[in-house]
């Protein structure tokens, strides 16, 4: 027995169809809504939606996104190390072997397409993973970044103004973080200095 509820049900398992810009359709389990904020909002507005268009993104990239969601079993928590140190190995940052294998096999262009799609679909975990790989593999390789992605390393005033106009939220987050760090620094300076304990009282 089959019926349609929020998409196609095959063997009592709900599915959705994601249509790429190349008019090819990728079928994905309904559980993808638990990872994609965009899909969740679309279904809230149109509960009977079956085919969801993904403009500006080809079906190959959409399929990679679907594959990733299956790998992490549709869990959207972000388990990656936030601060990457020079001496750290990739397996210390991304501890899940399947995720490492998935992201490491992507070419630079595939990675670029995927990070843009993850941002568009609002899939936090995939977006963070793409950023982690970029940060790890391109640390100390500024020229490679500029050559591969066409991103200028030298940021002049015009570029900074343009970035603030396009991505105001990024600068708001940065300013908030800097204010927090500044407040913490001032508290540490205001705190009385700890006096060294006499050696005969040391444990």
């Amino acid at each position: 027995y089959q019926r349609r509820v929020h998409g196609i049900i095959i063997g009592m398992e709900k599915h959705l169809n994601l249509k790429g810009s190349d008019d090819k359709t990728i079928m994905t389990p309904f559980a993808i809504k638990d990872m994609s904020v965009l899909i969740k909002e679309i279904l809230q507005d149109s509960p009977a939606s079956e085919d969801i268009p993904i403009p500006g993104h080809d079906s190959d990239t959409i399929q990679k996104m679907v594959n990733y969601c299956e790998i992490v079993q549709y869990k959207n928590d972000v388990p990656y190390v936030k601060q990457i140190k020079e001496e750290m190995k990739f397996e210390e940052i991304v501890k899940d072997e399947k995720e490492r294998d998935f992201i490491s096999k992507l070419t630079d262009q595939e990675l670029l397409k995927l990070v843009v799609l993850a941002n568009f679909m609002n899939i936090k975990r995939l977006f963070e993973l793409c950023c982690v790989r970029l940060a790890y593999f391109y640390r100390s390789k500024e020229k490679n970044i500029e050559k591969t992605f066409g991103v200028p390393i030298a940021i002049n005033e015009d570029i900074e103004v343009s970035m603030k106009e396009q991505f105001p939220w990024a600068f708001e987050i940065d300013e908030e973080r800097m204010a927090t760090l500044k407040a913490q620094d001032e508290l540490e300076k205001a705190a009385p200095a700890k006096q060294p304990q006499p050696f005969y009282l040391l444990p």
Side-chain angles (χ1 to χ4, degrees), residues 12-31:
M12 298 308 293
E13 184 179 358
K14 299 178 182 178
H15 284 73
L16 293 169
N17 294 320
L18 306 181
K19 189 175 183 180
S21 57
D22 52 5
D23 290 329
K24 295 181 180 179
T25 299
I26 304 298
M27 189 170 65
T28 177
F30 186 71

Side-chain angles (χ1 to χ4, degrees), residues 4-54:
R4 295 174 182 266
V5 178
H6 294 308
I8 302 173
I9 299 180
I10 300 177
M12 298 308 293
E13 184 179 358
K14 299 178 182 178
H15 284 73
L16 293 169
N17 294 320
L18 306 181
K19 189 175 183 180
S21 57
D22 52 5
D23 290 329
K24 295 181 180 179
T25 299
I26 304 298
M27 189 170 65
T28 177
F30 186 71
I32 198 170
K33 72 175 180 61
D34 295 330
M35 294 198 72
S36 172
V37 176
L38 177 66
I39 291 179
K40 188 174 183 179
E41 291 176 348
I42 289 174
L43 293 176
Q44 286 175 347
D45 294 337
S46 304
S49 297
E50 294 180 1
D51 298 321
I52 298 178
I54 312 296

Side-chain angles (χ1 to χ4, degrees), residues 121-162:
M121 301 295 292
N122 203 343
I123 299 179
K124 184 178 180 180
R125 183 167 181 165
L126 178 56
F127 180 78
E128 291 283 346
L129 178 62
C130 292
C131 291
V132 164
R133 186 197 144 166
L134 283 168
Y136 180 81
F137 285 99
Y138 285 93
R139 56 186 178 178
S140 304
K141 297 180 181 179
E142 290 85 358
K143 291 184 178 179
N144 287 349
I145 296 176
E146 187 170 6
K147 181 179 179 181
T148 303
F149 300 109
V151 178
I153 300 303
I155 305 297
N156 58 35
E157 187 175 346
D158 292 337
I159 294 176
E160 184 176 350
V161 170
S162 177

